[in-house]
């Protein structure tokens, strides 16, 4: 499993952990909490500007807005700016895009439903899956007959799917099942889900259609054809031919042997038919299980749709930025001497591993960029340091005072 930048701990929990490091100095602990609060509000203000940008440039493509209302945003909503801002928010929230190789593997494999899904990717002008956080859990899955096997399944903590639909003319030209889907051509659909199995991530595509896998087809048709032909040719057909010939020639029919042979053949065909019905019923049950999974996704795992997804994305974005910045400041502030970027990265990652048994790839570059951008940190000869807490509070207060400059306009 590849290490992620994502920090799987709540910001308040990390604050308490860092405050504990200042347990011997009440003034330092109080100042650190104040710094945390004001930095949190500053990043929240940044997120407010991002969401305003997102909503403005998404409105024309939002399927939740009435088509007539969307017309008012023609020339105002810019899809390139929307995508640029969305990717920025995803990056800040430590989401990463699922590469095509991983997606192809998910299309082939299935951990929970054991069902092949057919997805026509051409239905979309553009698509993408973005994930954050991974964990493993034990699940029991049905294998053969009544046997259930416990397997370890890898889950994504969060998955966002981005679907950009073609214009209406495209679907009119393509006479396929996409024409029957309740889609709104020319729109962009965004959905966020939680706890999605990595090998079943394709189940969140709205145009996924359950299909028989090669194994299902072989188990259904091979025994049916081979068994059916052999039984018919060895038992049923010879008995019927023999009885027909006897009737035509006027010979005495050996009813006992003929009926026995015919009954054996019909019984065997009945058993074969029961087997084939069972195999087909297995496929039907898998489809029902898939429908149940979709229902669970809609009611229990879906945490945001379209413009409503922005709030979830921006909340996670500002939290990740806050956690990275405050951790970098805390470790540098407690360091007796300036340290390099690599040393800071190692210290924080080792702290997570030692104290919380968690492996992660701390995004030290982004954290240091934030410290430098706010004037809290600086680099000299490849080594980083931060200003003391009392001066850090003054510096952040100055930044806040400069956010709105209306008082300067009145003065001038």
């Amino acid at each position: 499993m590849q290490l992620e930048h994502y920090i799987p701990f709540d910001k308040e929990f990390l604050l308490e952990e860092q405050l504990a490091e200042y347990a011997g100095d009440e003034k330092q602990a109080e100042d650190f909490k104040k710094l945390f609060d004001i930095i949190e509000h500053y990043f929240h203000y940044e997120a407010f500007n991002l969401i305003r940008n997102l909503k403005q440039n998404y409105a024309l493509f939002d399927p939740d807005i009435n088509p007539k209302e969307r017309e008012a945003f023609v020339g105002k909503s810019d899809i390139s700016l929307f995508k640029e801002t969305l990717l920025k928010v995803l990056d800040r929230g430590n989401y990463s895009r699922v590469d095509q190789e991983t997606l192809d593997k998910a299309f082939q494999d299935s951990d929970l439903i054991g069902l092949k899904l057919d997805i026509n990717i051409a239905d979309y002008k553009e698509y993408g899956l973005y994930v954050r956080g991974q964990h493993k859990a034990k699940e029991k899955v049905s294998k053969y007959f009544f046997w259930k096997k416990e397997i370890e399944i890898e889950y994504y903590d969060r998955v966002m799917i981005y679907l950009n639909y073609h214009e209406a003319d495209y679907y009119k030209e393509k006479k396929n099942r996409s024409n029957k889907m309740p889609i709104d051509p020319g729109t962009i659909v965004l959905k966020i889900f939680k706890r999605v199995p990595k090998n079943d991530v394709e189940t969140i595509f709205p145009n996924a259609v359950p299909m028989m896998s090669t194994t299902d087809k072989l188990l259904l048709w091979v025994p049916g054809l081979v068994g059916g032909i052999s039984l018919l040719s060895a038992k049923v057909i010879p008995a019927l031919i023999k009885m027909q010939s006897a009737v035509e020639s006027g010979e005495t029919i050996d009813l006992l042997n003929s009926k026995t042979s015919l009954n054996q053949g019909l019984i065997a065909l009945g058993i074969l038919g029961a087997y084939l019905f069972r195999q087909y019923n297995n496929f039907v049950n898998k489809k029902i299980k898939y429908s149940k999974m979709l229902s669970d996704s809609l009611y229990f795992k879906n945490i945001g749709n379209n413009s409503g997804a922005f709030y979830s994305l921006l909340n996670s974005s500002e939290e990740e930025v806050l956690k990275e910045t405050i951790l970098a400041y805390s470790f540098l502030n407690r360091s007796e001497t300036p340290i390099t970027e690599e040393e800071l990265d190692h210290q924080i990652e080792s702290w997570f591993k030692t104290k919380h048994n968690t492996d992660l790839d701390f995004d030290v570059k982004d954290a240091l960029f934030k410290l430098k951008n706010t004037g809290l940190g600086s680099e000299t000869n490849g080594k980083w340091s931060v200003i003391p807490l009392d001066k850090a509070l003054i510096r952040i207060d100055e930044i806040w005072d400069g956010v709105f400059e209306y008082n300067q306009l009145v003065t001038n």
Side-chain angles (χ1 to χ4, degrees), residues 2-244:
Q2 186 178 354
L3 296 180
E4 294 184 275
H5 291 322
Y6 170 57
I7 302 173
F9 295 96
D10 181 73
K11 62 182 180 180
E12 298 298 333
F13 172 79
L14 290 177
L15 171 62
E16 293 301 321
E17 291 282 295
Q18 295 309 304
L19 286 175
E21 301 292 338
Y22 295 99
D25 192 328
E26 188 175 331
K27 176 68 166 58
Q28 287 275 305
E30 184 64 28
D31 285 350
F32 185 80
K33 189 174 187 308
K34 289 177 182 177
L35 182 65
F36 180 93
D37 289 340
I38 198 167
I39 289 178
E40 181 178 18
H41 282 84
Y42 178 70
F43 288 148
H44 185 70
Y45 168 73
E46 283 190 345
F48 170 77
N49 288 329
L50 285 172
I51 197 169
R52 185 167 56 182
N53 185 310
L54 281 171
K55 292 176 74 173
Q56 169 73 26
N57 290 299
Y58 179 63
L60 181 61
F61 313 100
D62 188 350
D64 293 337
I65 295 180
N66 185 286
K68 289 185 177 180
E69 291 181 48
R70 290 206 300 263
E71 292 177 4
F73 291 93
V74 174
K76 297 178 182 178
S77 293
D78 187 322
I79 190 170
S80 60
L81 283 177
F82 166 69
K83 288 164 61 177
E84 180 184 333
T85 308
L86 179 63
L87 290 174
K88 181 180 180 180
V89 170
L90 288 167
D91 181 63
R92 284 165 57 110
N94 288 326
Y95 278 81
S96 59
R97 182 165 186 166
V98 178
D99 59 62
Q100 194 59 47
E101 182 181 352
T102 303
L103 200 53
D104 289 341
K105 186 176 184 300
F107 287 170
Q108 297 299 320
D109 300 337
S110 178
D111 285 335
L112 292 178
I113 57 175
L115 190 65
K116 179 182 177 182
L117 298 178
D118 181 44
I119 301 172
N120 186 9
I121 294 300
D123 284 346
Y124 311 110
K125 184 194 297 185
E126 194 178 14
Y127 73 96
L129 268 72
Y130 299 84
V131 299
R132 188 186 79 169
Q134 297 183 44
H135 70 276
K136 293 181 179 179
K138 299 275 189 180
E139 300 280 358
K140 285 187 176 181
V141 296
S142 299
K143 282 296 181 181
Y144 305 104
F145 298 97
F146 300 104
W147 179 48
K148 286 190 174 183
K149 181 182 179 182
E150 187 175 69
I151 62 173
E152 190 174 63
I153 295 176
E154 195 171 343
Y155 287 89
Y156 290 125
D157 294 338
R158 294 287 184 273
V159 178
M160 191 206 80
I161 187 168
Y162 168 97
L163 302 171
N164 186 356
Y165 286 102
H166 296 279
E167 298 299 330
D169 292 341
Y170 175 87
Y171 299 107
K172 290 178 181 177
E173 295 172 4
K174 302 287 182 179
K175 294 182 179 179
N176 53 33
R177 64 172 184 260
S178 62
N179 293 325
K180 300 178 182 179
M181 291 175 58
I183 63 174
D184 197 345
T187 61
I188 296 174
V189 170
L190 302 173
K191 289 183 178 294
I192 303 177
F193 297 90
K194 64 180 181 180
R195 204 171 183 270
V196 178
K198 185 175 181 180
N199 283 341
D200 291 325
V201 72
E202 77 279 12
T203 58
I204 66 175
F205 279 85
N207 65 335
V209 177
M211 303 289 286
M212 273 194 171
S213 65
T214 302
T215 303
D216 288 328
K217 290 177 181 177
L218 289 174
L219 288 173
L220 180 63
W221 293 113
V222 172
L225 290 173
V226 175
I229 292 172
S230 61
L231 283 170
L232 287 171
S233 59
K235 293 286 185 182
V236 179
I237 294 177
L240 291 174
I241 292 175
K242 190 173 181 180
M243 292 173 71
Q244 178 66 22

Side-chain angles (χ1 to χ4, degrees), residues 341-403:
E341 177 184 308
E342 291 75 18
E343 288 171 331
L344 176 62
D345 191 42
H346 176 71
Q347 285 183 18
I348 295 176
E349 290 176 358
S350 298
W351 180 80
F352 275 109
K353 179 63 177 176
T354 304
K355 195 152 188 177
H356 300 293
N357 193 30
T358 299
D359 292 308
L360 54 81
D361 179 17
F362 183 72
D363 194 352
V364 67
K365 290 185 181 296
D366 191 53
L368 290 174
F369 173 79
K370 284 295 182 184
L371 288 177
K372 185 176 182 179
N373 197 42
T374 53
L376 299 180
S378 60
E379 179 188 15
T380 305
N381 298 324
K383 295 194 173 184
W384 286 84
S385 61
V386 292
I387 58 178
L389 276 167
D390 54 347
K391 293 183 179 179
L393 288 171
I394 295 172
R395 173 59 190 151
I396 290 295
D397 188 46
E398 290 173 349
I399 293 175
W400 259 118
D401 290 342
V403 168

